[in-house]
Every structure is written in C-alpha cells, then in structure tokens.
Amino acid sequence: MNLRALSLFILVVVVNGIQGQPLSPAAPLTVLSKEGRRPLAVTLVGDQEFVALDDLAVLFQLTVREETLGAITVSYKGKTIVLTTDQALASVAGKLISLPAAPVRSGRRSLVPVEFISRALTTVYDTRLDLRKPSHLLVVGDLRVPRVTIRYEALGTGARLTIDAAPRAASVVSQENDRLAIKFDADALDVALPQIPAQGLIQAVRVADAVSIAVDLGPRFGAFRATAQPLDAASRLTIDVVAAQTDTSSPGSPASPSPGSPGSPTAAPSAAPLPDLSGVGQSASAIRTIAIDPGHGGDDTGVVGSGGTKEKDLTLAVARRVKAAIEGRLGIRVLLTRDEDKKVPLDDRSAAANNNKADLFLGLHASASLRRGTTGAAIFYAAFDKDAEDKARASLGTERLPTFTGGSRDIELLTWDLAQIRHVDRSEQLAHLLEQQFHDRVPLSPHPVERAPLHVLESANMPAVIVEIGYLTNVDQEKQLTANEFQNTLVQAIVDAIVKFRDALDADRGTR
Ligand SMILES: [Zn+2]
C-alpha cells in the first residue's frame, strides 16, 4: 500500500467512521451483454450493495457530474437523473424514484445502491437492463438468460434432477465419460445450484460454461434418462439416474419383474414410481420419431357402438394417451396424423409419417362385427399380392444421380405406393411384439395377428401396423374400451411393445 492509498484508506475509514458503517468489497456483479461478460465491482455498506457511478459511466456511456453542493447528475443521450448525496431518492424528469439508501462517498468516488440500475437507470437507458440481485447478474439487452433452478431428489435406489429453465430454453443432454453435460439454447444462464447429498450416483452439479451445466457422476452410476417437458412459463428437464446393475442393494428386486428389456437397469421396487429407463441411450436409438394415426375423423365417424361411442373419438383419445406416454416415458417424438376431429385422407396420413421420417407407424382403429359376441383386439400388418411384390422388387433398383458436390451417389428408387414392402418383416415382428404385450392384459381376438391389404399401410415407408383395439359392436367391450383403466393398460402394453421393438432394432444395429 503506497502513501496515497494509505491516505485514501484513512479517509475512507474516517468518512465511514462518521457514518458508523464500514465499507467492504463484495462479490462483483456479472454484466452480461452481446459483447460478453465483465465484472462490475460491488461495495457493501452494512448489508446494502453499492456500485460506483464512474464504473457505471464507463459501462453505459453515462456522463456523471458533481454539481453544486450535494447534487450529482447522471446523463444519457439528453436524459438526466439527479441524485442528492444525503437522500435515498433520485429524480428523473421531475419524477421521484426511491432508492434503498442515499449515495455514499468512497474516496473520490460516489457509490449508489445497485437498485439505482433497476429503478433509475432503466428509465433513461435505451437498452433493456435486467438486474438479478440474487444471482448477481446484470443482463444488458435482449439476451436469452434463463433462470435455471435445479432440484435433487432420491428416488428408490436412483436419483432425479429436475431442472427448470424460465423463460423456456431447450437443452441437450450428453454423456461425456464421468459426467453429463446439459447444454442450453441460451446466451447465458442464471443458475441456482442444489446441495447434493452423498449417494454415489451424482457427485456434484456445477456450472460448466456460460450455457452448460455439468453433472459429475459417481461410482454407482449405471444409466440415465432425460425427459423434456414444457411447463407454462418454463421448460422442465428431468434426469433420472439409476445405479449400475451390479449395485443390487435391494434384495426384493427379483420379485418384481421389470417391463424393461433384460439388458436395461432394473430399478428396485419402491412406493415411489420409479423411472422407466428404457429410454436410456436414446440418442443412438433406431426409433426417434413415431407416427400415430387415429383412424377416421370428421364426417367419417367409423364404427358407432350401441352406447353411442364413435370410433373416431375413441381412436383420438387413445392416440393422445399413447403420445403422452411415449414422449413422457421414452423421450421419443410422436407425431399424430390428426389431433382434432377432422377428416384426413389415407394418403395424407402415411405421407405425414413419411415426410416426418417416422421410424414406426401405428394406426389405431376399433372393429365392428355383425356377430355381437365378437370381442378382442387384433393387430394388422400389410399384405401385398404376388404381382405387387414382384413389381416392387423389380423397381427396387438403384440409379446413379449427380450431386451438388460434383460427384454422384446411388439413390434407391422405390414405387411410393408400395414403400411398405421392404419393411413388412419388421412390421410383422412389431405385430407379434404387440400381441405378446397384450397377452393377459388386453383381450385378444382368436386370430390376433393378421395380414391385410390396408391402403394406409402400403405407402408407409417404415415398419407399420394397425391395432384394432376391440369391438365397439360388443356392448361390454364398448364400456371397457372407453374406461380409463382399460385405456391405461392398453397404452402401457403398446409402450412396452415399442420398447421391445426398439431394443430389437438397436441390437441388430449393434448400437448397444
Ligand atoms: Zn376403423
């Protein structure tokens, strides 16, 4: 400390000795703008945070003048804020603005409460200023800086992180060795980190960089699943983590068969609903998008039961449930070919699935029979007559086409209306997996898996089936089909079949 600094120090002590409140440096504010981030020094007087007017002048191109005794003017582009040194007030164009404290002197600098920024400076400044006191951030301009709150909870033998970003911000989760990286689509983050108790699954949650959070994984980590869900004004990301399979600290687990694949981690039984981790590794999965086609719609009501149930309403209700379950539990995108009561041509339904590159097509219908006693679900996959198959196979040639980069590549040509032909084997496999999962849960018809020349399936360029969920012409089954409990069971069976199907595809592709 040189002599000048020493004398300033003494002066400060004397000045504040008079006021009875010591000055002490505090954690700086971080100023975020398009130009980047920079610190803004903060000084504590008592428990009030102050910033220096000359620091603000540099940051925001303000002109600060000490006027006649006791008055300070702060000007920006012709607008002026007037402060008085002994008053907790500012005035702008004749309007008084209250401040939590009066300006103080620190040596030759004038300090103002940080609230000066949010209450007074914002009234003259031409760019948005967003002061976030709890997180010590000052956001300048229209930057996307979501407030991210993270909650930890133990869940059975696993753990869950619930990460809310407000306003909404999309995020991507990836595993990099011993950590999960959560990268947000934002300019910066305003993060509140949780306390993590010791449990061996999640060691720590920390800020990795301006837009990423890192989750350090512990020795018990086995697998994780991330699910995104939009809330009213926030995005919610739920990350479920389960222990490695060798970590079977729960003696009761063999008694509870898991619906998941044999290779996936089995969660122990618990009162709390445990995460279905069948979505683990979804980024590498063969199924990323599923098209669900609720049959009929609009003036095409489909079958009408004696109780008045319309097939078009039933299929839409079930389709919505299946969509919610698949998206919520598996994190797979689901496209509905219709999400309202309207007529959609069959070709448009398969075209929507094709254009959205769906990896699986699931049509939903209900059946009718002249024999009122007929009941049970059935699963259909496409049938082609011999001629059509020959024609399709003949057209399955390749053609060499020029590319934009000057080379050429082989394009597989296929008659569009017979796109299903090369997926028929997979469609049959999916039909049988559905039958297996329905078994003992959803009543099946005597011939539950059938081939039929169904137009909507023929042009679907992915494994495709239609599930006839039951007979609306049977009085008892009509009641059953519209009941919550039955629909939940049906949806779970469909989800389980999709998990099995995906596991089979992934195993074939060697992605696991
Ligand atoms: Zn139908």
Side-chain angles (χ1 to χ4, degrees):
M1 192 182 284
N2 61 31
L3 197 63
R4 188 176 130 78
L6 181 66
S7 63
L8 270 178
F9 177 71
I10 292 165
L11 178 69
V12 167
V13 169
V14 168
V15 166
N16 293 288
I18 291 163
Q19 292 177 340
Q21 290 176 313
L23 282 175
S24 56
L29 281 173
T30 300
V31 181
L32 294 173
S33 68
K34 289 234 155 53
E35 285 72 47
R37 51 177 65 214
R38 53 191 296 179
L40 171 60
V42 171
T43 303
L44 274 181
V45 181
D47 51 12
Q48 173 63 46
E49 293 179 325
F50 285 79
V51 289
L53 272 180
D54 51 6
D55 286 345
L56 293 180
V58 172
L59 263 176
F60 299 113
Q61 291 86 49
L62 311 175
T63 307
V64 177
R65 272 203 200 91
E66 306 271 344
E67 304 290 347
T68 51
L69 213 61
I72 306 166
T73 58
V74 180
S75 306
Y76 179 77
K77 292 189 179 172
K79 293 177 180 168
T80 300
I81 305 166
V82 182
L83 288 158
T84 313
T85 45
D86 57 353
Q87 290 189 323
L89 289 171
S91 90
V92 179
K95 259 178 58 188
L96 286 181
I97 295 163
S98 80
L99 297 172
V104 296
R105 300 284 296 182
S106 170
R108 296 167 60 193
R109 289 150 64 94
S110 291
L111 307 183
V112 290
V114 288
E115 289 81 358
F116 171 81
I117 298 168
S118 51
R119 297 186 193 172
L121 191 53
T122 49
T123 64
V124 301
Y125 204 63
D126 55 5
T127 304
R128 194 166 146 253
L129 299 174
D130 182 7
L131 176 68
R132 305 191 191 179
K133 265 191 83 181
S135 38
H136 262 223
L137 282 179
L138 174 57
V139 183
V140 182
D142 288 322
L143 294 188
R144 297 166 306 154
V145 187
R147 171 83 178 145
V148 177
T149 50
I150 306 171
R151 205 169 66 240
Y152 167 89
E153 63 194 303
L155 209 59
T157 58
R160 171 175 287 179
L161 290 174
T162 305
I163 302 167
D164 289 345
R168 284 187 193 176
S171 56
V172 178
V173 185
S174 57
Q175 187 178 350
E176 296 163 6
N177 299 321
D178 288 342
R179 66 182 195 119
L180 300 178
I182 305 157
K183 186 171 184 179
F184 289 85
D185 182 17
D187 297 306
L189 302 178
D190 176 0
V191 186
L193 292 170
Q195 289 291 322
I196 307 287
Q199 25 67 38
L201 286 171
I202 296 172
Q203 308 277 63
V205 179
R206 58 192 168 80
V207 173
D209 61 44
V211 294
S212 304
I213 290 166
V215 177
D216 293 324
L217 302 169
R220 289 179 58 229
F221 172 79
F224 80 98
R225 184 185 60 135
T227 316
Q229 174 196 1
L231 305 179
D232 275 351
S235 327
R236 171 163 292 177
L237 176 69
T238 308
I239 298 182
D240 287 314
V241 173
V242 288
Q245 223 170 6
T246 48
D247 181 79
T248 44
S249 49
S250 49
S253 58
S256 160
S258 159
S261 65
S264 72
T266 306
S270 152
L274 280 162
D276 170 4
L277 284 168
S278 40
V280 167
Q282 60 183 281
S283 56
S285 171
I287 298 185
R288 279 165 300 183
T289 305
I290 293 178
I292 297 180
D293 179 38
H296 312 279
D299 56 13
D300 171 17
T301 52
V303 182
V304 180
S306 57
T309 307
K310 293 172 185 153
E311 184 185 357
K312 66 171 185 176
D313 298 330
L314 181 64
T315 58
L316 183 55
V318 172
R320 284 176 177 154
R321 283 184 187 227
V322 176
K323 175 183 161 79
I326 291 173
E327 289 184 338
R329 294 178 220 167
L330 306 182
I332 295 173
R333 183 169 83 105
V334 174
L335 161 87
L336 294 183
T337 57
R338 70 175 175 97
D339 194 15
E340 57 189 315
D341 182 16
K342 71 168 183 198
K343 188 167 184 168
V344 179
L346 292 181
D347 284 339
D348 291 4
R349 296 171 190 250
S350 40
N354 292 341
N355 294 338
N356 283 279
K357 297 194 165 42
D359 303 299
L360 192 160
F361 180 97
L362 179 73
L364 293 171
H365 284 261
S367 317
S369 171
L370 290 176
R371 290 171 54 219
R372 297 225 166 165
T374 311
T375 63
I379 303 114
F380 293 87
Y381 63 100
F384 296 95
D385 62 35
K386 185 83 175 58
D387 282 355
E389 285 195 36
D390 290 347
K391 201 174 111 198
R393 286 192 206 292
S395 74
L396 260 174
T398 56
E399 190 167 301
R400 197 149 273 265
L401 296 175
T403 66
F404 292 113
T405 50
S408 63
R409 67 191 179 112
D410 293 327
I411 303 289
E412 199 174 54
L413 296 176
L414 182 63
T415 314
W416 189 243
D417 61 354
L418 297 171
Q420 178 60 204
I421 280 187
R422 59 178 172 171
H423 301 288
V424 165
D425 292 348
R426 287 292 188 195
S427 300
E428 182 182 6
Q429 183 185 14
L430 174 61
H432 285 290
L433 287 171
L434 282 159
E435 178 198 5
Q436 282 167 23
Q437 294 302 321
F438 282 11
H439 196 74
D440 292 336
R441 290 204 263 181
V442 177
L444 286 165
S445 77
H447 303 286
V449 174
E450 292 189 51
R451 294 193 77 171
L454 295 164
H455 183 71
V456 71
L457 295 180
E458 285 169 6
S459 47
N461 191 22
M462 71 281 306
V465 295
I466 284 177
V467 177
E468 298 263 4
I469 62 175
Y471 282 80
L472 278 177
T473 42
N474 179 287
V475 179
D476 291 336
Q477 189 147 62
E478 181 185 5
K479 276 189 201 133
Q480 186 185 35
L481 291 175
T482 53
N484 252 330
E485 197 188 337
F486 175 84
Q487 290 190 5
N488 286 335
T489 306
L490 174 73
V491 166
Q492 186 59 52
I494 289 172
V495 169
D496 292 344
I498 288 171
V499 168
K500 298 272 184 201
F501 184 64
R502 183 187 58 188
D503 288 349
L505 289 184
D506 287 349
D508 287 356
R509 291 181 357 154
T511 54
R512 290 192 173 209

